[in-house]
Amino acid sequence: MSPIFEGTIKKNNQVEQSFIVQALTLDHLSDILFVQEQIIHSLTNKEILQPLSMEEFQFILNGNGLMIGAFVDETLIAFRALLVPQIDEEHLGLDIGLKVEELQKVIYQEISNVLPEYRGNQLQKTLAILIMQELSQQHHDYRYVCCTVATSNIPSLKDKFVQGMEILALKEKYNGLMRFIFVKDLQEVNSPIWNQVMFIRVDDFEAQQAKLAEGWRGFQLEERDGVQWINYGRR
């Protein structure tokens, strides 16, 4: 299988190595599960990651989405996934106000994992760009890319904002865990113009939910004096 991308990466911010990115298949399932297990083991706060089961990975790899992975010397070090979700009452499209007939236009940006020793290389950002490029080369009818992010997962929040995704909801998902719900409209070409902007602390859920209910959207993350703030605006 031909690589999608080739480059260099540093291990533990020291040793430079060559790596490639390629599409993942069912043959990589055991490697995917191993990497996910390593990530879970490294987390001090397990709630920031909603891991996928073996069956969920199989569902994606059996044609219900797309997965790409980064390899160093044939060893998987990171992966990223898109998922074609099943339409049910937990569908993220419903959380952002889509009608039932629009839900088939939604694809999820699913799990993204990078082994700890390879963090700091912007690999998550690189894989995000590459997987969306791969999607654009396929014939599809998807308009909306949705995902959830744990409220304390600052790297993942930054990742979504860099991609031009916006917060449209903040609510409990996955048996009571608070999650931001992001969306990106693939039909939008121009960057939005924000007529009003205000800053809300990332941990002030009540204030954010009030603004989201009024039609405001979160579009940027800023750190000031060690505190994370989300910029909310009206289009």
Side-chain angles (χ1 to χ4, degrees), residues 149-166:
V149 176
T151 54
S152 59
N153 192 341
I154 301 304
S156 190
L157 287 173
K158 291 178 179 177
D159 170 67
K160 302 303 178 289
F161 285 128
V162 165
Q163 294 181 62
M165 302 186 80
E166 299 168 5

Side-chain angles (χ1 to χ4, degrees), residues 6 56 62 73 80 94 117 136 208 222:
E6 299 182 38
E56 287 171 318
N62 274 319
D73 294 331
R80 191 152 198 154
L94 298 174
E117 58 265 37
S136 69
Q208 291 180 83
E222 289 187 15

Side-chain angles (χ1 to χ4, degrees), residues 28-47:
H28 299 108
L29 183 57
S30 61
D31 296 329
I32 293 166
L33 292 170
F34 178 76
V35 169
Q36 178 174 258
E37 197 58 41
Q38 295 292 102
I39 301 299
I40 293 170
H41 182 71
S42 72
L43 294 175
T44 52
N45 179 9
K46 309 295 188 202
E47 288 190 355

Side-chain angles (χ1 to χ4, degrees), residues 213-232:
E214 295 172 3
W216 293 60
R217 297 183 176 202
F219 66 92
Q220 193 175 25
L221 186 72
E222 289 187 15
E223 181 178 339
R224 299 201 300 269
D225 298 325
V227 177
Q228 299 291 342
W229 299 77
I230 295 179
N231 296 1
Y232 277 85

Side-chain angles (χ1 to χ4, degrees), residues 29 33 52-62:
L29 183 57
L33 292 170
L52 299 188
S53 66
M54 181 176 69
E55 291 75 18
E56 287 171 318
F57 282 123
Q58 287 174 324
F59 181 76
I60 296 172
L61 295 168
N62 274 319

